[in-house]
Amino acid sequence: MLVSDTSDDPEREREVVANLVAHHIRGLLVSPTSGWLGGAARVIRDHQVPCVLVDRLQRASVDQVGVENERATATLVEHLISRGHTRVACMAGRAGLSTTDERVAGFRAAMAAKGIPVDEGLVVNGESTDNGGRKAMRMLLTRREPPRGCSSATTP
């Protein structure tokens, strides 16, 4: 088993997949980047390599394993609201990732279900990195009216 971290770079992902395919791998588990359809997916399709997408679900006819991100995030936000927090922040992950979109949708759905308007200044991008998360949290906590609760929609 080989593991490669492409740092969510679609071109790097395509290169890694092409290199693995050139070495006659028997299958792939891929947590796809936001641009995988134009790169890695084509290599996989052209070489008919068995593939399973993990975590970041796509509109593609391949096997996929994922998590109920939207419902899980909504449940978290509902819990914060039930504890009296109405200024809830959402630290989003990298734009374009299905996990980010699903988690932000769950955040928004929970706020709407409770009739609480979303303060767009409390929806920040943590870029799915440690440094991005720290920067986003600093930005939230130094606001004149900081959040009272925070839903993290980032990916590790």
Side-chain angles (χ1 to χ4, degrees):
M1 180 166 154
L2 301 172
V3 177
S4 180
D5 180 359
T6 64
S7 300
D8 285 323
D9 178 338
E11 180 55 27
R12 175 76 180 131
E13 179 182 59
R14 188 200 60 72
E15 290 170 2
V16 166
V17 167
N19 189 20
L20 291 169
V21 168
H23 284 87
H24 309 288
I25 50 103
R26 292 191 176 200
L28 288 166
L29 294 175
V30 178
S31 184
T33 65
S34 59
W36 92 288
L37 278 173
R42 285 188 176 156
V43 173
I44 292 165
R45 187 176 41 250
D46 291 349
H47 291 87
Q48 299 179 352
V49 176
C51 176
V52 176
L53 299 185
V54 179
D55 189 38
R56 298 172 179 173
L57 304 180
Q58 303 291 308
R59 294 186 192 276
S61 56
V62 300
D63 292 328
Q64 302 184 51
V65 178
V67 175
E68 294 288 338
N69 287 298
E70 189 169 340
R71 182 70 241 147
T73 303
T75 300
L76 168 64
V77 173
E78 289 164 1
H79 172 74
L80 291 171
I81 293 168
S82 76
R83 309 268 307 167
H85 302 292
T86 57
R87 286 190 52 75
V88 180
C90 179
M91 187 186 318
R94 187 178 303 249
L97 297 178
S98 63
T99 47
T100 298
D101 295 343
E102 293 161 4
R103 292 168 184 170
V104 171
F107 167 78
R108 291 183 182 284
M111 297 291 281
K114 298 297 182 180
I116 301 170
V118 173
D119 176 345
E120 293 301 327
L122 295 179
V123 180
V124 297
N125 188 332
E127 303 198 11
S128 301
T129 66
D130 292 343
N131 287 335
R134 277 191 282 279
K135 181 180 173 184
M137 187 57 74
R138 265 192 235 94
M139 188 168 56
L140 287 169
L141 295 177
T142 58
R143 290 179 54 94
R144 188 164 34 107
E145 290 184 63
R148 300 276 301 157
C150 185
S151 161
S152 177
T154 62
T155 55

